[in-house]
Amino acid sequence: MKILAFALALSCSHGSWAARTAFQAQCEDSMAKPVSVLHSTPNGYSINNTVSFHGLSAMKPGAPGTFVLGLTKTESRSTISLKTPTLIDPVSGYECVAPQITVSLLYSPVVVYVGREFRPGSCAYQEILAHEMRHLKTYLDHLPKVEVTVRAALARRFNDKPLYAPRGQAMALLQQKLNTGWAPYIQKEMAKVDPLQAAIDTPQEYARLSKVCAGEVQSIVRPANRDR
């Protein structure tokens, strides 16, 4: 990271960290330590019974020729905010910053669909909804894991030390690094839920759902498919 290179160059020019300049001492002793705070915020969910299973089948990518009886649909989102308390050294022309980073994670909106052909409260409806609740739980269980992973990575990177850069450059350099490095990294961690979701929708699970409730699902799907 470019800012870290500045910090090393400044510190090395005065020997070791043990022989600190007055500016370094002021930065390290008086400024708040860099803080990386992460919030995962479950955003709730809604249940939608208005879309036919044909419509749900069209909504799910990569499922040609299959009937999607229910669907849990959401979008992963993350935001990063940055504050940079700063001290300036007029002698060296450098500034030190204690970056305060706040990351928010959420899935929004979360909509659980059950095909409108299935009457709420019926056996088939309850079986389909239970399947979709497994998807919902997987999403919600994944957020805390991402939080732990990203918080640890941020802590390792910033190492509880102020950062140094030429005067007026720290904020822009940090923001660039957050946008080009950390934001894609966080989204990659969020996307690790996808294979967990795919593991729920196995051929065996689809076969099981097709046979539950004494053939109730099949009795609805087959006539509806003929009338399509």
Side-chain angles (χ1 to χ4, degrees), residues 79-148:
T79 60
I80 307 175
S81 62
L82 173 67
K83 295 181 179 179
T84 53
T86 304
L87 287 178
I88 297 172
D89 181 16
V91 176
S92 67
Y94 273 67
E95 62 187 7
C96 73
V97 298
Q100 297 176 357
I101 301 169
T102 302
V103 180
S104 297
L105 307 173
L106 58 89
Y107 293 107
S108 177
V110 182
V111 183
V112 178
Y113 293 91
V114 177
R116 70 182 178 214
E117 294 85 358
F118 303 98
R119 179 177 51 83
S122 66
C123 177
Y125 182 94
Q126 293 302 122
E127 287 283 350
I128 296 166
L129 183 61
H131 173 90
E132 295 309 316
M133 288 296 103
R134 291 173 60 193
H135 285 294
L136 177 62
K137 184 177 186 299
T138 299
Y139 279 122
L140 298 182
D141 288 350
H142 186 62
L143 274 183
K145 297 175 184 177
V146 177
E147 180 174 349
V148 170

Side-chain angles (χ1 to χ4, degrees), residues 142-209:
H142 186 62
L143 274 183
K145 297 175 184 177
V146 177
E147 180 174 349
V148 170
T149 299
V150 176
R151 183 189 291 118
L154 286 168
R156 287 193 301 270
R157 175 61 192 87
F158 292 102
N159 197 30
D160 210 26
K161 291 284 188 182
L163 303 177
Y164 298 84
R167 183 173 180 174
Q169 295 188 22
M171 180 68 169
L173 289 169
L174 271 169
Q175 192 65 61
Q176 180 186 32
K177 190 63 178 178
L178 290 175
N179 292 341
T180 62
W182 286 99
Y185 165 75
I186 292 168
Q187 283 301 310
K188 183 178 179 181
E189 290 299 314
M190 294 281 278
K192 288 183 178 179
V193 75
D194 294 341
L196 302 178
Q197 298 290 5
I200 295 174
D201 291 333
T202 62
Q204 293 79 8
E205 175 65 1
Y206 283 144
R208 184 190 71 81
L209 284 173

